[in-house]
Amino acid sequence: MITRELAVALRDAGLVWHPAEGDRFQLDLPDEVELEAEADVFTVSEMTIEARQTPSGTDLAFNGTTEWALDAVTLADAVWLPREDQLRDMLRRTFRLLVRLEDSFRVVIEIAGEALEFEHPDPAEAYGRALLELISRSR
């Protein structure tokens, strides 16, 4: 799983999240709200947390199964933690290679004929760093 810091960087770079069953996220609430819950990782699921379309956008509705009182949060109050397969898919045609090294993984992408490499012990984090570079260059 990618770090919260990388997830925030991807969001801030312009990655758009359309919540789907199985997606993981953390809360990113305003400073005046208790921060204890921000460390928890939640999963979108029809039984517990569902994405609901509202006139103002998408809300993530908590269906009474959490330990603390929270009905719903807006998408802006959540940080998506994309899975490894989602990150790889978002690299689209730039993705060239994933290599397992002795103590890390290397992701290779190609942008405008230039091969770029990203290494990390967690392959999802390597994919995420590659995606951040792709998004940054496409802006």
Side-chain angles (χ1 to χ4, degrees):
M1 182 165 69
I2 67 172
T3 62
R4 178 187 182 91
E5 293 77 22
L6 179 56
V8 169
L10 286 165
R11 179 190 66 189
D12 292 349
L15 182 62
V16 177
W17 179 31
H18 302 284
E21 184 89 7
D23 284 356
R24 295 175 303 203
F25 67 95
Q26 290 181 308
L27 298 178
D28 190 19
L29 301 170
D31 290 340
E32 64 271 8
V33 176
E34 192 172 320
L35 300 177
E36 185 178 302
E38 286 191 343
D40 293 337
V41 176
F42 299 95
T43 303
V44 176
S45 168
E46 288 182 20
M47 294 297 294
T48 56
I49 302 168
E50 69 180 303
R52 293 183 183 159
Q53 297 303 318
T54 67
S56 61
T58 302
D59 286 348
L60 298 167
F62 291 77
N63 293 328
T65 60
T66 58
E67 297 170 3
W68 37 273
L70 182 66
D71 291 330
V73 296
T74 66
L75 209 52
D77 291 330
V79 177
W80 179 32
L81 302 167
R83 297 183 312 267
E84 180 181 336
D85 63 303
Q86 292 171 314
L87 293 161
R88 184 179 51 249
D89 288 347
M90 287 183 275
L91 289 171
R92 296 190 177 104
R93 294 182 299 195
T94 66
F95 175 67
R96 294 295 176 263
L97 186 65
L98 171 67
V99 178
R100 181 177 178 89
L101 305 172
E102 186 174 323
D103 59 353
S104 65
F105 292 85
R106 178 183 299 142
V107 169
V108 180
I109 63 172
E110 186 178 325
I111 302 173
E114 178 185 3
L116 302 166
E117 299 180 356
F118 303 86
E119 289 186 22
H120 196 273
D122 183 339
E125 187 80 6
Y127 279 121
R129 291 176 180 192
L131 181 60
L132 182 59
E133 181 67 21
L134 177 61
I135 292 170
S136 297
R137 288 187 180 214
S138 66
R139 292 186 110 194

